[in-house]
Amino acid sequence: CDVPRWEGYFDMSDLSITTHPYGNWAANPSYFERIGYRKDNNNNTSNTTLTSALFFNSCGDDELTAQTVCSGNGKCVAWNPDDISAVFFCQCDRGFAGVECNHKRPSQSIAWLWSLFLGYLGADEIYLGWYYAAAAKLFLTILGGAIALVFESPFGLLVIVCPWVIDVVRIGSGPVFCKVDGRVEDDLPRWAFAICTIVAFAMIGFAWVTISLYYRVTWRRHSEDRANCSNSTVGAYHIHRKINWDIAEENWGTTSLRRW
């Protein structure tokens, strides 16, 4: 194929291109080096100058006991029990996660309660570590409240309620992801979630209807009272005019008789 020539067009004699033997991705510590277990520094892998043996987890350290392995929050289990040279990994206890079981999982029950009571303010997302999502929900709540107050439109309530209800159902239906420690701890029974959610929203709906009816009836009564007061004022005004007219006629008649 024809290759374009650059001789005579550009001066490439002083061109210097810096090169390096390894890519930037290869210069960074690998995943195994970052999370691997070193027994001489208590699993602190921040010091990359150590030359000791690096294990996948603490199950490879024969100096640990069954109570201290896996950060004391799990046990070593073979990946394939039928394999003689099987690789062991840490099976974490309930509520813990991570290669060394050193991360405490957030609770699904607590996340669901935050979502139910203060979810429209983003409290559930803050608990799970999703701060941008929490800011977005707070913004939608402020926006919906402004629309409902300024324009008196039910669309503002939909802007507030829809993300709130979606997150209540999403968090309560199953263990969702949090930002740091994977999924939350699955400690919310399905029957408890279903019953509590139905009862909670039924109570919220009943309270909303009761408050709406109260203010509606109060507003109608005030409107009727204002109308009755206005009619009474008009009637009293006409009666007062009639009395004044009768008095004027009587005075006029008396004056005429005197003149006669």
Side-chain angles (χ1 to χ4, degrees), residues 68-213:
T68 58
V69 75
C70 300
S71 302
N73 301 317
K75 60 181 179 180
C76 294
V77 178
W79 180 264
N80 185 7
D82 299 331
D83 189 2
I84 299 177
S85 59
V87 178
F88 287 84
F89 68 97
C90 289
Q91 185 177 12
C92 301
D93 296 335
R94 187 177 182 86
F96 292 91
V99 178
E100 280 298 310
C101 303
N102 53 355
H103 296 288
K104 179 67 176 177
R105 292 179 183 268
S107 173
Q108 181 187 3
S109 300
I110 297 177
W112 179 77
L113 290 175
W114 278 117
S115 180
L116 180 63
F117 292 104
L118 294 175
Y120 49 88
L121 298 178
D124 50 350
E125 302 293 350
I126 294 176
Y127 177 75
L128 296 175
W130 305 110
Y131 301 110
Y132 291 109
K137 290 182 69 174
L138 181 60
F139 172 76
L140 289 177
T141 299
I142 296 174
L143 178 63
I147 293 174
L149 293 176
V150 175
F151 299 100
E152 297 182 356
S153 173
F155 178 74
L157 297 179
L158 292 178
V159 174
I160 299 174
V161 172
C162 287
W164 174 40
V165 175
I166 290 174
D167 278 346
V168 169
V169 177
R170 179 179 64 87
I171 295 175
S173 298
V176 295
F177 281 98
C178 54
K179 188 174 183 180
V180 179
D181 302 323
R183 292 184 181 272
V184 297
E185 176 60 25
D186 187 10
D187 57 355
L188 180 62
R190 299 296 177 271
W191 62 268
F193 157 69
I195 294 176
C196 293
T197 302
I198 294 174
V199 172
F201 280 105
M203 293 177 62
I204 293 173
F206 178 77
W208 177 266
V209 171
T210 303
I211 294 173
S212 300
L213 288 177

Side-chain angles (χ1 to χ4, degrees), residues 228-246:
N228 294 333
C229 181
S230 177
N231 294 332
S232 300
T233 303
V234 173
Y237 172 74
H238 287 294
I239 293 173
H240 182 69
R241 286 191 60 184
K242 187 175 186 306
I243 293 175
N244 291 337
W245 180 259
D246 293 340

